[in-house]
Amino acid sequence: TLDRSSAASDVYKRQVLTYSNGDASFTLYIEALNGRTIAEGYAFAGSNLVLGQSMMHAGEPMFVTIVGQLSLQQGEQVAGSVVSFKPK
């Protein structure tokens, strides 16, 4: 979990997960929106996809960002597969 500061000096927690098969890799960022609005969408920077998508977790809005060497279809599949688990 990383701390991310905004211009208003608020600190937001986000989870950062990196995946690699030894050839290609991507990083998944998951963070609570905490009342913020973040634009959804995607772009390519060279061969790297940058994809941002909103999701809900326990009734709270979250934001998922994926950066890495994926096609748009793969990125959307990963973003749509993000689930949250609560420890028992």
Side-chain angles (χ1 to χ4, degrees), residues 6 16-17 25 28-29 32 38 49-51 53 64 80-81 88:
S6 69
V16 179
L17 306 163
S25 63
L28 176 66
Y29 302 88
I38 301 176
L49 170 68
V50 180
L51 173 87
Q53 181 174 309
V64 174
S81 298
K88 292 182 181 182

Side-chain angles (χ1 to χ4, degrees), residues 1-4 12-19 26-34 36 38 51-57 60-67 78-85:
T1 302
L2 296 177
D3 291 339
R4 183 172 118 178
Y12 301 104
K13 299 277 187 191
R14 72 170 139 168
Q15 192 161 20
V16 179
L17 306 163
T18 300
Y19 299 91
F26 68 92
T27 303
L28 176 66
Y29 302 88
I30 305 167
E31 59 190 302
L33 285 174
N34 294 325
R36 298 174 294 156
I38 301 176
L51 173 87
Q53 181 174 309
S54 296
M55 63 176 279
M56 295 297 286
H57 163 67
E60 296 293 323
M62 305 291 284
F63 198 78
V64 174
T65 305
I66 298 169
V67 179
V78 170
S81 298
V82 172
V83 296
S84 60
F85 296 99

